Amino acid sequence: MKKEPSFCSSSSSATVNSILDTLNHSPCLIALCLIAGVWFFSSIPLQYVFSGDETRVAGISAEMLFEGNYLIPKLNGSPFLEYPPFYYWCMAFSMKIFGCNDAAASIPTLLSAFGCVLVTFVLARKLGASRFEAFLSGFIMMSSAQFISNAQDCRTDMMLTFFVTSSICGYVCLLSAETFRKRLLFCLITALSMGLSVLTKGLVGLVLSGSALGGFVVADDLLHRKFRLSRYLWLGCAGLAALLPLIAWGTALYCACGEEAIHTLLVQNGIHRFSNKTADHAGPFYGYLLILPELFEPWLIFVLIGLWTALQKVRRQKDSTSLFFLAYILFPFFLLCCSSGKRVVYLLPLTAGCAVLSAKTVCLFLEKYILGEAKQKWLCVVQKVVKLVWGLCPVLLLLSMVVFLVLGGSELYYLAVLFVLTGCLLFVKSPSPVLRNITVRLCLIGLTVNAVFGIFTVRDYPDNYLGPFCEEVREFAEKEGRPLLIDADLERMRGAIWFHTHSGLSECKLKDYTGAPELWILRTREKGVFSGSDKHNVFRMPEDIDIVQKILKK
């Protein structure tokens, strides 16, 4: 892949290099690992599986673990084929090691987020970035709003992002490999990453990475008017090999459940999710443009400037690396705009490309507008702002932890703080004082972010955490001496019951009620004889049949 020095290498900016030269000869990757570890894993004591998609995913994983059936994802005994099972397997394995609790449920997502940052560092280096630019790419990724938000959720999206990023990084390494053995190795890495992305969230994983890589290969050949068959062959082999894990699991699923299960998985939950106008989260073609400010804050402006700069380099200099960024970001973005489903989280796999492009743009911005010899006044202003933020950070951390303790937070968080500070002290042996200073400060900022996040977590606990309700409702049913049933439409509660009590409930449709004395769990604003979080209530039947009929009419 052709490298354009003015864009892909730090050699274009003598001023930046003169100031940050020590970073290019110090353990930037180790520092990034420490910072990412603090930002993600110090929040484990603050993790709760809140009502929504998280309880459903955690319930399916818990049911796999306690029932011992790892072939078919089930939600309260019924097959649930919205996604293939790899993420459920990972969560079930985590629960088996650390216990069926909220912290164990969050570990697969946190590990995926941590892996995304490291793969982004490698990808930046392979695209010609300096060590500092690669370090900055990882930091920009972990500090973007959507990435932080989704790193706290027990859902498949972060793991999908990790595998899509790994597949793209593997193929970039393949393009620059010099021997057949290395190309074969990176082809296998690319195929494995693609395959696991498909086994995590379906064919969308292959579409996202395939559109970015395939679009780049075609566009690069058109740009240079040269057809390179080997690139297509390697990418095609990786794509075909990526389907093997899904085919193997799909065959086993077909033997166990029949053709209907395959149709539900591939057509209803695969194709129709993105092609049917009546699908969940449906929106117009321009839907993502309306929510563009949410996608990559606070770095979005640098992404847009970087895209414009890359476009100019492609037009004037036929730069392949700049073309790669355009293909990585714009081709999958266009496909997602064409799909019917519109959610901000669907764009998460594009974060790595945006992060690397932002880091390069930030360095060019620093060299041109701040670090130049005639711009020392701007530099002084920036330094004062940074010092002000740094001075407020420890104060905010202390206040947040005090408030968090008053609200009833976990004492484990303070052990995490102690562990992190110890790690920072050990890191002072780094040969680069500049890198050491940056690392320690960013670690403390990460702790501050998690402490503030802990306040909001504890605040939302009574309204969105279903654990106490699930445990207490079973005791209530035993006292009443009546069978406990759940509305079959309540996916979040069906998952929460399995996750928090490790066993399921009988489920039925309200329209099929027979008039027997039972207790029913419904989600409604109407108060029942026993009420819990997220508007879930228990009604005595048939005594409360009038209230239930009103719910049916609504």
Side-chain angles (χ1 to χ4, degrees):
M1 186 182 298
K2 182 181 177 181
K3 297 179 182 179
E4 173 62 37
S6 63
F7 186 80
C8 297
S9 173
S10 60
S11 61
S12 62
S13 175
T15 307
V16 173
N17 276 341
S18 64
I19 296 177
L20 303 172
D21 183 64
T22 54
L23 290 176
N24 290 331
H25 302 282
S26 57
C28 286
L29 182 58
I30 297 177
L32 188 63
C33 288
L34 179 60
I35 297 169
V38 171
W39 280 57
F40 298 129
F41 296 111
S42 66
S43 66
I44 287 182
L46 311 177
Q47 295 294 325
Y48 293 100
V49 178
F50 283 128
S51 177
D53 292 346
E54 294 185 76
T55 54
R56 184 184 64 199
V57 172
I60 293 172
S61 303
E63 191 167 352
M64 273 188 175
L65 175 63
F66 290 103
E67 291 292 308
N69 182 2
Y70 292 90
L71 175 63
I72 306 171
K74 291 185 177 181
L75 183 61
N76 197 36
S78 303
F80 191 84
L81 300 174
E82 184 172 351
Y83 304 124
F86 187 76
Y87 185 83
Y88 305 133
W89 292 343
C90 294
M91 186 179 288
F93 181 72
S94 176
M95 292 177 182
K96 187 173 183 179
I97 296 178
F98 301 104
C100 188
N101 53 60
D102 300 89
S106 68
I107 288 178
T109 298
L110 294 174
L111 285 174
S112 299
F114 182 80
C116 283
V117 174
L118 301 189
V119 174
T120 300
F121 181 94
V122 176
L123 178 62
R125 292 289 289 155
K126 296 304 294 185
L127 291 173
S130 66
R131 289 187 179 89
F132 174 70
E133 288 174 332
F135 173 85
L136 187 59
S137 299
F139 174 74
I140 287 176
M141 186 178 203
M142 76 175 73
S143 60
S144 61
Q146 283 299 318
F147 195 85
I148 292 177
S149 174
N150 286 279
Q152 309 289 344
D153 295 337
C154 302
R155 297 187 300 189
T156 60
D157 302 285
M158 187 57 68
M159 185 169 287
L160 173 69
T161 301
F162 170 69
F163 288 130
V164 170
T165 306
S166 298
S167 64
I168 291 176
C169 182
Y171 190 72
V172 170
C173 294
L174 185 152
L175 292 180
S176 60
E178 299 178 353
T179 64
F180 177 82
R181 181 176 297 180
K182 289 184 178 180
R183 293 191 191 99
L184 181 60
L185 173 63
F186 289 124
C187 182
L188 292 176
I189 293 175
T190 303
L192 178 62
S193 300
M194 285 183 176
L196 292 178
S197 69
V198 172
L199 207 57
T200 298
K201 202 166 182 175
L203 294 176
V204 65
L206 186 61
V207 171
L208 290 173
S209 55
S211 62
L213 296 175
F216 165 71
V217 170
V218 174
D220 194 45
D221 280 355
L222 293 176
L223 181 67
H224 294 93
R225 298 180 181 180
K226 182 187 299 184
F227 179 74
R228 285 158 283 194
L229 179 62
S230 61
R231 290 185 171 189
Y232 297 91
L233 292 177
W234 284 115
L235 184 58
C237 291
L240 292 176
L243 294 174
L244 295 179
L246 182 65
I247 293 174
W249 175 71
T251 302
L253 180 66
Y254 176 80
C255 295
C257 300
E259 183 179 352
E260 184 179 354
I262 301 299
H263 180 272
T264 301
L265 175 70
L266 297 180
V267 179
Q268 183 177 337
N269 290 321
I271 299 175
H272 287 176
R273 173 180 291 272
F274 296 98
S275 63
N276 194 333
K277 294 182 179 180
T278 61
D280 293 339
H281 313 292
F285 175 83
Y286 54 85
Y288 283 121
L289 299 179
L290 299 179
I291 56 176
L292 196 60
E294 303 177 35
L295 298 183
F296 202 64
E297 292 298 342
W299 308 101
L300 180 61
I301 183 62
F302 295 106
V303 177
L304 299 178
I305 295 174
L307 288 173
W308 175 256
T309 304
L311 182 62
Q312 297 303 312
K313 288 183 177 292
V314 170
R315 185 171 63 87
R316 297 172 182 174
Q317 305 170 13
K318 296 185 178 181
D319 178 35
S320 294
T321 305
S322 301
L323 180 63
F324 175 81
F325 284 112
L326 295 175
Y328 187 177
I329 297 172
L330 297 183
F331 286 169
F333 182 82
F334 176 76
L335 287 179
L336 290 172
C337 286
C338 293
S339 68
S340 57
K342 297 290 190 300
R343 294 184 67 185
V344 177
V345 72
Y346 292 161
L347 296 175
L348 198 62
L350 309 184
T351 307
C354 294
V356 179
L357 190 60
S358 298
K360 292 178 175 294
T361 307
V362 167
C363 287
L364 291 176
F365 179 82
L366 289 174
E367 189 275 332
K368 187 173 183 180
Y369 295 105
I370 295 181
L371 299 180
E373 295 180 359
K375 310 292 191 307
Q376 293 301 316
K377 293 183 178 180
W378 282 102
L379 181 60
C380 293
V381 173
V382 172
Q383 288 177 336
K384 290 180 180 179
V385 173
V386 171
K387 288 183 178 179
L388 177 62
V389 174
W390 170 242
L392 293 176
C393 187
V395 177
L396 184 59
L397 174 63
L398 179 61
L399 293 177
S400 300
M401 293 177 65
V402 171
V403 174
F404 182 51
L405 181 62
V406 171
L407 292 177
S410 171
E411 292 79 4
L412 290 176
Y413 183 68
Y414 301 97
L415 295 178
V417 172
L418 180 62
F419 174 79
V420 169
L421 294 179
T422 302
C424 292
L425 292 176
L426 294 177
F427 195 71
V428 298
K429 295 182 179 181
S430 169
S432 170
V434 177
L435 182 63
R436 181 179 66 236
N437 191 17
I438 292 175
T439 302
V440 173
R441 295 191 179 200
L442 291 181
C443 285
L444 290 179
I445 291 174
L447 288 174
T448 304
V449 171
N450 284 330
V452 175
F453 173 78
I455 294 177
F456 291 100
T457 300
V458 175
R459 184 198 65 180
D460 294 338
Y461 181 95
D463 297 327
N464 297 308
Y465 187 63
L466 297 176
F469 176 78
C470 292
E471 297 171 358
E472 294 170 6
V473 73
R474 286 190 178 273
E475 298 178 1
F476 180 77
E478 293 177 1
K479 292 180 181 179
E480 290 288 319
R482 300 189 184 192
L484 181 63
L485 285 81
I486 185 172
D487 185 3
D489 293 330
L490 301 183
E491 291 183 355
R492 62 182 66 183
M493 177 53 69
R494 290 159 64 195
I497 285 288
W498 259 105
F499 177 67
H500 292 292
T501 66
H502 315 326
S503 60
L505 289 177
S506 300
E507 59 184 61
C508 192
K509 294 283 188 178
L510 280 175
K511 62 181 180 180
D512 299 328
Y513 173 62
T514 61
E518 298 167 343
L519 294 176
W520 278 70
I521 300 178
L522 303 176
R523 188 171 184 264
T524 174
R525 296 182 181 275
E526 302 290 340
K527 296 293 184 180
V529 294
F530 186 85
S531 301
S533 302
D534 195 24
K535 304 173 187 176
H536 286 89
N537 295 274
V538 178
F539 296 91
R540 287 193 185 98
M541 302 290 281
E543 291 89 338
D544 296 330
I545 189 64
D546 294 338
I547 300 177
V548 174
Q549 288 178 346
K550 292 181 181 179
I551 297 172
L552 284 174
K553 291 180 181 180
K554 294 181 180 179

